[in-house]
Amino acid sequence: MSTIRNKKIAIIGGGPGGLTLARLLQMNGANVKVYERDAHKDARAKGATLDLHEESGLAALDAADLMEAFWANYRPDADALRIADKHANLIHDDKDAPREETMRPEIDRGPLQNILLDSLLPGTVVWDSQFAVLTPNDNGWNVGFKNGEVVYADLVIAADGANSKLRPYLTPIKPFYAGVTAIEGAVYNSETASPKMHELLNGGKIFAFGDEKTLIVSSKGDGSLVFYPGFKCDEHWVRTCGIDFTDKTQVLNWFKTEYAGWDEIWLELFENASGPFVARPQYCMPLDQTWEAKPNLTMLGDAAHLMPPYAGEGVNMAMLDALELSQCLLNEDYPDSLSAIAAYEKQMRARASETAEMTMYSTGALHSDGAIEFLMGVIGG
Ligand SMILES: Cc1cc2nc3c(=O)[nH]c(=O)nc-3n(C[C@H](O)[C@H](O)[C@H](O)COP(=O)(O)OP(=O)(O)OC[C@H]3O[C@@H](n4cnc5c(N)ncnc54)[C@H](O)[C@@H]3O)c2cc1C
């Protein structure tokens, strides 16, 4: 089995990228463990519904032999998009537009995680394992965790997301602020908790635009909805604004001021939000980033190429990374793991750079006065 024969592989992070890689390697006989910070699989509420793209997320699931499980769990109508202005006037409704058979089917994060977890051998994921430190040991690494455990691995893969603690072992390059901050909230049981929004949402997604701001709302299969207003502000606004994001009233008051002139219907989201809000300044890795490959450490997904969510590519890129990395590691033609990893990283960086450029363009366009025209153009309206 090529350059990873008889090697112990440690994947740090059990998000969609890490779990997809674990499945793709394990089904080909590799010795792989996933170390995940969360205490168990339901430790955190999962965010918005994800659309998987044919050439990336779906291609990875297909290679992982998981398409049947995907079709059993996807949400057929969740990709129905409504575009609204700030007064909640619908500018576009997928329901009224003739739609071709979608190649961007939607799945909630929870079911996607379950599909991937169920595909792994029991004990593959080691929960409650927050990575702390890497120490060289022979040709591999001692991987130390916050809980005091230390394990040896010949090859370590950083799949620990946006604030990767492993990335600095490969490169000091840091992401830059994308100019937009989003505040994520959720409403459980939206049909009764926020009936007007529930009706407007109609089981799909709403993208609302006005005054160079966005408000994205999406329904989830468990009856909840998630939403995130996005707006331009300086990088440190979350720290300096003085808002306590665990206090619903403070966030509601902020929204009333920041989104002054928007229709009252949007207030229903903030008035009925369940649980605390999460403020997320949006970052992007430099498009020209590069680093020297190592034979025993690499990275994928947000750890490698964080980008804002305004083109819906993050999960798809993470899963395609997993596919391409598994193909390189399993390829008999590479003489050693260094050449396999170098080949993966070269193509991953080039692809991610193109996608990040498009994403940054989209982020700017969606937070401009021409947002509605831009999105109508993207969807071919
Ligand atoms: C509000 C929002 C909306 C989004 N919408 C979309 C969308 O519609 N479509 C899309 O494609 N993408 C979207 N994204 C982006 C997408 O969520 C990410 O790109 C994707 O989840 C990246 O996958 P990953 O596996 O690389 O990292 P993650 O999903 O972040 O997974 C990383 C995992 O590592 C674990 N971890 C972190 N630190 C440690 C540690 N020290 N030790 C052990 N484990 C650790 C975490 O608990 C987590 O399970 C959105 C992001 C946000 C914030």
Side-chain angles (χ1 to χ4, degrees), residues 12-19 35-38 44 48-53 106 109 113 129-132 145 159-166 182 184 205 228 280 282 300-309 311-319:
I12 313 298
L19 292 178
Y35 296 92
E36 166 56 47
R37 172 179 65 180
D38 286 351
R44 264 181 306 131
T49 303
L50 302 161
D51 61 310
L52 296 192
H53 306 172
E106 302 264 347
R109 281 173 198 258
Q113 183 193 39
S129 301
Q130 180 168 357
F131 166 79
F145 297 94
D160 54 338
N163 300 308
S164 173
K165 296 290 180 288
L166 282 125
E184 199 181 332
K205 293 187 178 194
Y228 52 104
R280 299 184 190 277
Q282 297 299 318
L300 57 70
D302 280 5
H305 45 61
L306 178 64
M307 58 188 81
E313 289 287 354
V315 156
N316 287 287
M317 287 297 103
M319 293 174 75

Side-chain angles (χ1 to χ4, degrees), residues 26-61:
Q26 194 173 68
M27 70 191 280
N28 285 288
N31 177 356
V32 55
K33 290 268 188 220
V34 178
Y35 296 92
E36 166 56 47
R37 172 179 65 180
D38 286 351
H40 53 82
K41 85 177 176 66
D42 299 315
R44 264 181 306 131
K46 308 281 179 316
T49 303
L50 302 161
D51 61 310
L52 296 192
H53 306 172
E54 194 180 9
E55 65 287 357
S56 44
L58 291 178
L61 282 184

Side-chain angles (χ1 to χ4, degrees), residues 10 96 107 133 135 166 215 222 226 380:
D96 304 332
I107 188 163
V133 64
T135 321
L166 282 125
L215 178 54
D222 62 3
V226 291

Side-chain angles (χ1 to χ4, degrees), residues 82 90 93 95 190-191 194-204 206 225 265 268:
R82 291 183 154 184
L90 289 183
D93 187 349
K95 249 185 37 203
S190 62
E191 188 168 7
S194 57
K196 285 188 207 147
M197 275 311 303
H198 184 84
E199 200 185 325
L200 191 63
L201 199 50
N202 197 27
I206 298 174
L225 62 78
I265 191 171
E268 214 184 55

